[in-house]
Amino acid sequence: MKQSLALVSLLVPDYDEAIAFYVGVLGFTLVEDTYRPEQDKRWVVVAPPGSSGTGLLLARAANDEQAARIGNQAGGRVFLFLCTDDFDRDFDAYRARGVEFVRAPRQEDYGKVAVFRDAWGNLWDLLQPS
């Protein structure tokens, strides 16, 4: 049996704001942006540059319960892990674009890592594996 994780849903308040952050600030690729008239929503998928794996489905919150979880989908823990082949390049680029790092870079046995916050408060690891 072969399986893979294709997408992770990420609740956002607005599609275009989310695209602006993930594509414009983090440099992700906009993989798909298709309007679904039968549900009056968009299917918006972004992925890190050069990625052939899991993407993010940017899901606009459709009700108060979903909206309450925007920015805290993991209850304050690191939610997503962005691996890179050049930590210093990406760390410097993100800081120059205003990304807030909440934990400074450090070297761990598994790689170089720092924690940043996305535009809504979700925590991410920026990680260059050893």
Side-chain angles (χ1 to χ4, degrees), residues 9 37 70 90 92 106:
S9 290
I70 293 171
D90 293 339
D92 292 343
R106 65 186 189 279

Side-chain angles (χ1 to χ4, degrees), residues 17-111:
E17 289 176 14
I19 291 168
F21 179 77
Y22 289 105
V23 175
V25 175
L26 295 187
F28 284 23
T29 301
L30 181 60
V31 176
E32 184 175 356
D33 184 356
T34 304
Y35 179 63
R36 304 284 185 199
E38 66 281 0
Q39 296 176 326
D40 191 30
K41 64 182 180 182
R42 289 159 60 185
W43 184 263
V44 180
V45 177
V46 297
S51 175
S52 61
T54 306
L56 286 178
L57 174 67
L58 302 179
R60 184 185 66 202
N63 57 45
D64 290 342
E65 182 179 1
Q66 292 174 12
R69 287 169 173 73
I70 293 171
N72 193 23
Q73 289 189 221
R77 293 184 60 107
V78 170
F79 178 48
L80 297 162
F81 298 79
L82 180 60
C83 289
T84 178
D85 62 352
D86 188 334
F87 180 93
D88 295 326
R89 174 199 64 212
D90 293 339
F91 178 79
D92 292 343
Y94 289 173
R95 286 191 62 208
R97 295 180 199 140
V99 173
E100 176 191 5
F101 280 84
V102 298
R103 290 188 210 134
R106 65 186 189 279
Q107 188 65 48
E108 298 288 346
D109 58 347
Y110 54 84

